[in-house]
């Protein structure tokens, strides 16, 4: 019997599996993928925590189609979305600082209909460069036998796993210690330059105007190189923005004496608590969290916002 993952992060664990078979996503519900041992037994340690409290399904055993010699670390699960890559793709990299053997490379099981190679060479490339110690990342598109697979437990992830384990937080702190600081002291993180309607924030043009009038620099992180983003985050002393992917790597880079406020832009109230937990865990900063949704509560995304509530909340907390 394979038990589901719990809200508690697993205790740090590293298993070395000789002759492991890495199976990519098979295109079914709950993205079944993972690792089998040399005898054909599925290893529950390889299951991934997905968004909205879901857990990846157990894949069917399939015939091996490829072979990867050497020793490789199972780093997580593929995703081309920047925020999801941070929460799923790098979750096991903490083991790079604890493996007792030389690692030849990193492996990610492929996700159906996502071009990971393209994204790793473009928007996700700087993340890999910062975190992966120069090791090559191999995407497993077919069931592949690996001579020696270093299979760690997840140290980070969606929802209640955002706080990270001490080992994962130490791994991140080490690799984000040196950042070229360059940016304003007051920062508003906008989503107004994104493309999909469901990614946007209600009345954000008005929010941007309000923040600019208060002396904030309006910053769209996705329009800048990852290293530039880190420098801007490290420079800021006051940071305000709607919930979203920027608040997943902001805690990796922000200074410990910074102040932050994050407000809800969609109908997922639990997200604010999770983001606060991550910021507290990685940066030692407890953010102000604000729910400015209009009442009665809407069901649409983006959620209609009450700007008077947002303005008063920011002013009461000393951000305006």
């Amino acid at each position: 019997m394979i038990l589901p993952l719990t809200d508690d992060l697993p205790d740090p664990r590293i298993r070395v599996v000789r002759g492991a078979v890495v199976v990519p996503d098979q295109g079914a519900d709950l993205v079944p993928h993972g690792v089998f041992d040399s005898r054909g037994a599925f290893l529950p340690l390889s299951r991934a925590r997905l968004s909205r409290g879901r857990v990846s399904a157990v894949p069917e055993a399939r015939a091996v189609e490829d072979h990867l010699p050497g020793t490789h670390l199972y780093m997580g699960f593929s995703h081309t979305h920047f925020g999801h890559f941070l929460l799923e793709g790098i979750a096991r990299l903490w083991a790079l600082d604890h493996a007792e053997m030389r690692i030849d490379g990193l492996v990610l099981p492929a996700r159906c209909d996502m071009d990971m190679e393209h994204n790793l060479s473009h928007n996700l490339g700087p993340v890999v460069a910062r975190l992966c110690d120069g090791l090559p990342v191999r995407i497993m598109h077919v069931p592949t036998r690996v001579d020696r697979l270093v299979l760690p437990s997840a140290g980070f992830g969606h929802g209640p796993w955002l706080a990270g384990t001490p080992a994962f937080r130490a791994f991140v702190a080490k690799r984000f210690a040196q950042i070229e600081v360059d940016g304003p002291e007051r920062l508003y993180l906008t989503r107004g330059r994104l493309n999909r309607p469901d990614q946007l924030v209600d009345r954000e043009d008005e929010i941007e105007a309000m923040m600019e009038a208060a002396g904030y620099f309006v910053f769209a992180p996705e329009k800048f190189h990852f290293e530039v983003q880190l420098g801007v985050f490290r420079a800021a002393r006051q940071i305000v923005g709607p919930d979203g992917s920027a608040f997943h790597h902001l805690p990796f880079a922000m200074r410990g004496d910074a102040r932050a406020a994050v407000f809800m832009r969609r109908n997922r109230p639990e997200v604010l608590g999770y983001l606060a937990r991550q910021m507290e865990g990685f940066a030692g900063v407890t953010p102000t969290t604000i729910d400015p949704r209009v009442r009665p509560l809407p069901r649409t995304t983006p959620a209609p916002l009450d700007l008077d509530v947002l303005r008063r909340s920011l002013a009461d907390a000393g951000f305006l």
Side-chain angles (χ1 to χ4, degrees):
M1 179 179 181
I2 297 176
L3 298 176
L5 301 181
T6 69
D7 283 351
D8 296 323
L9 275 158
D11 292 332
R13 178 186 176 194
I14 299 174
R15 178 173 176 178
V16 179
V17 187
R18 296 182 180 275
V21 176
V22 178
V23 175
D25 171 27
Q26 300 173 344
D29 290 342
L30 296 178
V31 289
H33 70 281
V35 179
F36 291 83
D37 67 17
S38 61
R39 297 173 298 176
F42 180 73
L43 302 181
L45 188 61
S46 65
R47 297 182 81 188
R49 187 181 190 99
L50 309 173
S51 62
R52 298 179 182 271
R54 300 170 301 149
V55 180
S56 62
V58 177
E60 296 180 2
R62 295 161 58 190
V64 174
E65 298 181 37
D66 203 355
H67 170 238
L68 182 62
T71 302
H72 301 265
L73 188 142
Y74 189 85
M75 64 181 281
F77 183 39
S78 294
H79 209 300
T80 54
H81 181 280
F82 183 85
H84 284 260
F85 179 73
L86 291 180
L87 301 182
E88 300 172 24
I90 68 171
R92 303 169 191 262
L93 284 176
W94 65 269
L96 285 174
D97 290 344
H98 300 272
E100 297 180 351
M101 58 186 66
R102 185 176 69 88
I103 304 296
D104 299 313
L106 308 169
V107 298
L108 275 172
R111 199 179 195 117
C112 281
D113 302 322
M114 290 192 180
D115 188 349
M116 278 303 298
E117 284 85 355
H118 173 80
N119 281 269
L120 286 174
S121 63
H122 290 81
N123 63 313
L124 299 179
V127 181
V128 169
R130 172 73 63 167
L131 292 172
C132 294
D133 296 353
L135 294 169
V137 178
R138 292 176 171 85
I139 310 301
M140 305 284 97
H141 291 279
V142 297
T144 301
R145 189 175 301 281
V146 182
D147 284 349
R148 287 171 300 281
L149 185 72
V150 178
L151 176 60
S153 54
F156 184 57
H158 289 278
W161 287 14
L162 274 171
T165 61
F168 188 86
R169 294 197 298 267
F171 165 82
V172 167
K174 178 180 177 181
R175 284 157 181 80
F176 285 80
Q178 300 300 318
I179 293 174
E180 185 174 343
V181 180
D182 184 13
E185 291 194 354
R186 307 187 90 188
L187 197 64
Y188 176 74
L189 301 179
T190 181
R191 296 179 63 86
R193 315 303 182 264
L194 297 174
N195 297 319
R196 295 203 327 260
D198 63 313
Q199 295 176 313
L200 302 178
V201 177
D202 181 51
R203 302 175 69 182
E204 192 163 34
D205 55 342
E206 298 173 66
I207 298 172
E208 289 183 9
M210 175 179 70
M211 300 310 293
E212 284 186 315
Y216 284 78
F217 179 75
V218 175
F219 184 61
E222 74 281 356
K223 299 300 182 183
F224 295 85
H225 190 279
F226 184 67
E227 292 296 323
V228 174
Q229 296 178 42
L230 299 182
V232 171
F233 291 164
R234 180 65 58 88
R237 293 181 179 272
Q238 286 190 306
I239 305 161
V240 177
D243 70 83
S245 295
F247 280 93
H248 288 319
H249 62 298
L250 169 66
F252 295 169
M254 68 189 298
R255 49 194 301 154
D257 61 352
R259 299 183 65 236
V262 55
F263 63 87
M264 197 180 307
R265 65 176 174 88
R266 51 187 167 170
N267 294 305
R268 293 183 60 190
E270 74 282 0
V271 168
L272 292 187
Y274 294 147
L275 292 176
R277 189 181 302 185
Q278 183 188 357
M279 197 174 294
E280 291 164 354
F282 285 87
V285 174
T286 299
T288 296
T289 57
I290 302 170
D291 180 0
R293 294 175 297 168
V294 300
R295 267 50 175 185
L297 291 175
R299 296 183 178 181
T300 56
T301 297
L305 303 184
D306 186 327
L307 262 59
D308 288 334
V309 170
L310 179 61
R311 185 181 297 106
R312 284 197 304 270
S313 299
L314 289 172
D316 291 346
F319 289 92
L320 292 178

